[in-house]
Amino acid sequence: MNRVTDILGIKYPIIQAPMSWVTSAELVAAVSNAGGMGTLGPNAGQNTVANGPEESAERLRTEIKKTRELTDKPFGVNYFPPGIGSGENPYGEAQLKVLIEEKARTLVVVGVANEKDIKRLKELGFTIVFRELHPTVSGAKAAERAGADIIVATGFDEGGSTPNIPVGTMTVVPMIVDAVNIPVMATGGISDKRGVNAAFALGAEGVYLGTRFIASVESPAHDNAKQDIIKHGTEDLVLLRTGHGGYWRATPHSVALEAQGLNDNQVHSNFAKIGNLKTAMLDGQLEEGINTYPVY
Ligand SMILES: Cc1cc2nc3c(=O)[nH]c(=O)nc-3n(C[C@H](O)[C@H](O)[C@H](O)COP(=O)(O)O)c2cc1C
């Protein structure tokens, strides 16, 4: 037991990080039932793009209810506040209404450290796990001041889209641990007990893992994407620009997008239009989308 397990009401200080399209009720409940905290990500349990914020929020409501049928343990829900920094999130308010009505307990809030947003969520009674997309000491301090319960420190080793600050997990974790008094969880490239031990040695009080769960039996990722991730190693890694200063860590198939003559920005906006990670990771069309993984 430590501060993280106390705050989240779980047995082990391990969070399954939210991942768009591939963190369904089944995966979330499996992690929570095993003593960690599963987290529903955007498009959880879906296989089509929602028709606007209201439909997206109602789908989230259904997935929350489904998760509750599969586990009586605590789980989290990913939430991007409206002022996320890289643009307004038109889905935020509709989602928040559902989260309040469904009495969600813990929000995994990801974005910029906007004190007003975090304060408002605290006043609404949520437990806040806050992950600054591009981690900074000032952002961690601001989130703590605003009432965040736990900070997630993200290293450039992260799967999915990286921070735009090219600093690894080994550096970011102690930097954030030294900046705040609330517990810090480490994320980015952690996949086994050695990584967990290293995170704790750096002062973290828990770990937040994404990619490690993608190829699990309970994950809804397409088998093509799972096998592709298992098959590829460090020497295959491709970095594709995200459009916000970071990179998508991708398997070599994703290079097909650039080979179609699209520049970085076009790859990014094209990819956003087709439902972000859905094409490769959920539908298994590896040449048409981005299959993302870190380097372990
Ligand atoms: C396929 C994939 C999709 C992701 N989608 C989201 C998302 O929708 N929301 C979010 O806050 N983070 C997202 N992330 C980031 C993860 O929540 C987490 O920060 C990251 O996976 C941690 O690094 P690791 O994969 O090395 O464990 C995604 C990561 C991956 C690999």
Side-chain angles (χ1 to χ4, degrees):
M1 298 290 278
N2 68 9
R3 292 197 292 173
V4 167
T5 57
D6 285 351
I7 291 167
L8 300 178
I10 57 178
K11 191 164 171 200
Y12 303 114
I14 298 175
I15 291 182
Q16 163 258 303
M19 294 179 284
S20 195
W21 297 104
V22 295
T23 43
S24 57
E26 288 81 2
L27 175 61
V28 170
V31 174
S32 291
N33 283 333
M37 187 182 89
T39 311
L40 290 170
N43 306 298
Q46 306 304 312
N47 52 25
T48 57
V49 179
N51 201 4
E54 305 302 328
E55 188 178 311
S56 168
E58 284 312 313
R59 289 179 175 197
L60 174 63
R61 188 196 303 280
T62 306
E63 205 65 11
I64 290 174
K65 287 185 193 292
K66 188 170 173 192
T67 310
R68 288 201 171 122
E69 280 168 19
L70 299 172
T71 185
D72 57 359
K73 302 281 190 305
F75 63 92
V77 182
N78 196 192
Y79 179 69
F80 297 100
I84 181 176
S86 53
E88 290 294 303
N89 170 16
Y91 290 76
E93 286 305 307
Q95 260 183 21
L96 190 56
K97 186 166 166 284
V98 165
L99 292 168
I100 295 167
E101 287 169 2
E102 292 304 318
K103 301 190 172 38
R105 179 186 193 273
T106 299
L107 301 189
V108 174
V109 180
V110 177
V112 294
N114 181 327
E115 285 188 58
K116 208 170 107 238
D117 283 338
I118 296 173
K119 263 192 194 130
R120 177 175 174 223
L121 296 171
K122 268 316 279 184
E123 279 160 17
L124 287 167
F126 296 110
T127 297
I128 309 290
V129 176
F130 177 70
R131 184 169 81 84
E132 192 174 18
L133 269 177
H134 312 300
T136 59
V137 164
S138 57
K141 285 181 188 289
E144 179 178 44
R145 260 196 318 272
D149 297 277
I150 293 171
I151 304 271
V152 178
T154 308
F156 190 75
D157 321 42
E158 175 188 24
S161 71
T162 70
N164 64 13
I165 300 164
V167 173
T169 307
M170 288 289 280
T171 307
V172 165
V173 173
M175 176 181 103
I176 302 295
V177 165
D178 288 349
V180 294
N181 294 311
I182 54 176
V184 173
M185 298 181 77
T187 193
I190 301 169
S191 65
D192 62 15
K193 191 163 184 294
R194 291 167 296 180
V196 175
N197 289 346
F200 277 79
L202 294 171
E205 292 174 59
V207 291
Y208 182 99
L209 287 76
T211 308
R212 188 64 183 82
F213 290 104
I214 296 175
S216 64
V217 172
E218 295 85 354
S219 150
H222 195 283
D223 199 49
N224 289 352
K226 291 182 180 177
Q227 296 306 327
D228 194 42
I229 287 172
I230 291 167
K231 198 169 77 196
H232 288 109
T234 43
E235 66 278 19
D236 306 315
L237 178 71
V238 172
L239 293 178
L240 298 171
R241 286 191 183 280
T242 55
H244 59 67
Y247 296 91
W248 286 101
R249 290 182 172 277
T251 65
H253 287 288
S254 314
V255 175
L257 288 169
E258 284 181 332
Q260 289 165 14
L262 304 178
N263 66 29
D264 286 345
N265 281 340
Q266 286 166 330
V267 168
H268 188 64
S269 61
N270 202 29
F271 163 64
K273 257 186 254 153
I274 52 178
N276 215 310
L277 300 168
K278 178 177 180 296
T279 312
M281 302 205 69
L282 196 71
D283 303 338
Q285 297 165 28
L286 301 179
E287 308 286 329
E288 304 296 324
I290 292 181
N291 194 24
T292 175
Y293 77 136
V295 291
Y296 42 80

